[in-house]
């Protein structure tokens, strides 16, 4: 079975990502691929970083959020949108709704970084707080949506969202081709798995031999566990991490349908290693990356990836880090 046929059986395909690219093009930023001699020399490979913290709202989430919100029919827009998120999806949905003149209500954990909560409000969204360890955010969000006649914009288990996130992978494929290079390994972080599902779909369409690797915090390695088991597995419920953007309990159903077929394996990084990667990115590369966005770089610097002599792309998924935490990590 060819890669193309296999992808046709999945929830989205390259054509969906191409369509998403056309929808978001007037509004999203096409982020570059960056390569730094100091990093290449340190690991003995040609490393390319996809800096999604330069994306609108400071993370890749704007891509999928805008593609989804823009897909809502005009006669369904009056009720607005509802989303649940620790911060990056929240900001993406809020910004997309503002552009399209729709009301957004965002259900956010009470312990989400203050900067993410305030930025979400700055786009005109209403923020409803919940306890991430005791409350059911989906139930809260569904209740609000039903009451208001709003559209629920899920953070990852939605084909429009996955296709939108996949535009980051489409750009990677195009930019590598422009350089005359083929990616051997592409690494992206995962919470629910929408980003890496979209990226994997786009990369595999053009470079079927590329290995797609998911990077996760040590205590939140549900994708790695699930890939090994062959079915969706949750991480240990007592886990804690500074990577607040990567705290989903279990891979999404739709995203894992894609990731189980297209991903090669998972790697992890400890909070200490993630903190070191955030500091390295700031000091050596002059990039501000949030902990969740730096977990792939952390795995690379910790030696979890066999990259010697290879072309490697790592997605830095966002830069919305709390100022106090950032100052602590880079001190």
């Amino acid at each position: 079975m060819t890669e193309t046929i296999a992808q046709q059986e999945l929830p989205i395909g390259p054509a969906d990502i191409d369509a998403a690219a056309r929808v978001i093009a007037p509004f999203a930023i096409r982020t570059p691929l960056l390569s730094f001699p100091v990093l290449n020399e340190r690991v003995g490979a040609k490393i390319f970083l996809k800096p999604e913290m330069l994306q609108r709202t400071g993370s890749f989430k704007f891509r999928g959020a805008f593609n989804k919100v823009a897909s809502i029919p005009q006669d369904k827009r009056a009720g607005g949108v509802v989303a649940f998120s620790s911060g990056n999806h929240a900001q993406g949905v809020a910004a997309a709704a503002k552009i399209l003149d729709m009301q957004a209500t965002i259900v956010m954990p009470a312990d989400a970084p203050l900067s993410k909560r305030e930025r979400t409000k700055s786009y005109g969204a209403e923020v409803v707080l919940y306890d991430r360890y005791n409350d059911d955010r989906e139930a809260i969000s569904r209740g609000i949506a039903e009451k208001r006649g709003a559209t629920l914009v899920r953070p990852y288990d939605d084909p429009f969202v996955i296709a939108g996130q996949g535009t980051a992978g489409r750009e990677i494929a195009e930019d590598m081709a422009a350089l005359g290079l083929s990616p051997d390994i592409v690494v992206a972080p995962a919470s629910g798995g929408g980003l890496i599902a979209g990226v994997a779909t786009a990369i595999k369409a053009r470079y079927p031999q590329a290995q797609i690797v998911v990077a996760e915090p040590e205590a939140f390695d549900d994708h790695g566990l699930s890939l090994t088991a062959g079915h969706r597995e949750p991480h240990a419920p007592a886990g804690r991490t500074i990577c607040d953007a990567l705290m989903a309990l279990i891979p999404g159903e739709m995203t894992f349908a894609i990731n189980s077929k297209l991903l090669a394996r998972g790697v992890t990084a400890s909070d200490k290693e993630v903190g070191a990667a955030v500091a390295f990115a700031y000091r050596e590369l002059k990039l501000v990356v949030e902990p969740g966005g730096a977990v792939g770089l952390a795995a690379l610097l910790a030696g979890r990836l066999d990259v010697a002599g290879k072309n490697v792309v790592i997605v830095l998924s966002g830069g919305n880090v709390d100022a106090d935490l950032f100052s602590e990590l880079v001190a």
Side-chain angles (χ1 to χ4, degrees), residues 215-240:
E216 299 175 284
E218 261 183 6
F220 287 77
D221 58 341
D222 43 291
H223 284 79
L225 293 172
S226 299
L227 291 173
T228 299
H231 55 81
R232 295 164 66 232
E233 283 280 344
H235 58 72
R240 295 290 187 272

Side-chain angles (χ1 to χ4, degrees), residues 18 57 70 117 119 128 137-138 152 169 210-211 274 300 304:
D18 292 341
T57 74
R117 282 184 275 150
R119 284 174 59 86
V128 176
R137 64 180 188 173
E138 292 196 43
L152 182 61
Q211 292 189 343
V274 168
L300 172 72
R304 305 281 160 70

Side-chain angles (χ1 to χ4, degrees), residues 138 156-157 190-194 196 214 216 220-227 231-235 247-257 259-260 263:
E138 292 196 43
Y156 44 84
D157 260 349
S191 182
I196 197 164
V214 59
E216 299 175 284
F220 287 77
D221 58 341
D222 43 291
H223 284 79
L225 293 172
S226 299
L227 291 173
H231 55 81
R232 295 164 66 232
E233 283 280 344
H235 58 72
M247 295 178 71
L249 176 64
I250 192 169
E253 292 184 20
M254 187 178 295
T255 57
F256 192 68
N259 292 329
S260 62
L263 271 55

Side-chain angles (χ1 to χ4, degrees), residues 76-136:
K76 301 291 185 183
R77 294 187 179 186
V81 293
V82 179
F84 49 89
S85 166
S86 64
N88 287 334
H89 180 61
Q91 292 176 70
V93 172
K98 183 177 182 179
I99 292 169
L100 296 170
D101 196 26
M102 297 171 65
Q103 176 58 41
T105 302
I106 312 297
V107 178
M108 299 184 71
D111 62 351
L114 179 61
S115 60
K116 291 184 177 181
R117 282 184 275 150
E118 292 304 315
R119 284 174 59 86
T120 300
K121 291 178 182 178
S122 75
Y123 295 112
E126 175 189 356
V127 171
V128 176
L129 300 179
Y130 75 97
D131 180 343
R132 78 161 81 227
Y133 301 109
N134 296 299
D135 295 337
D136 185 338

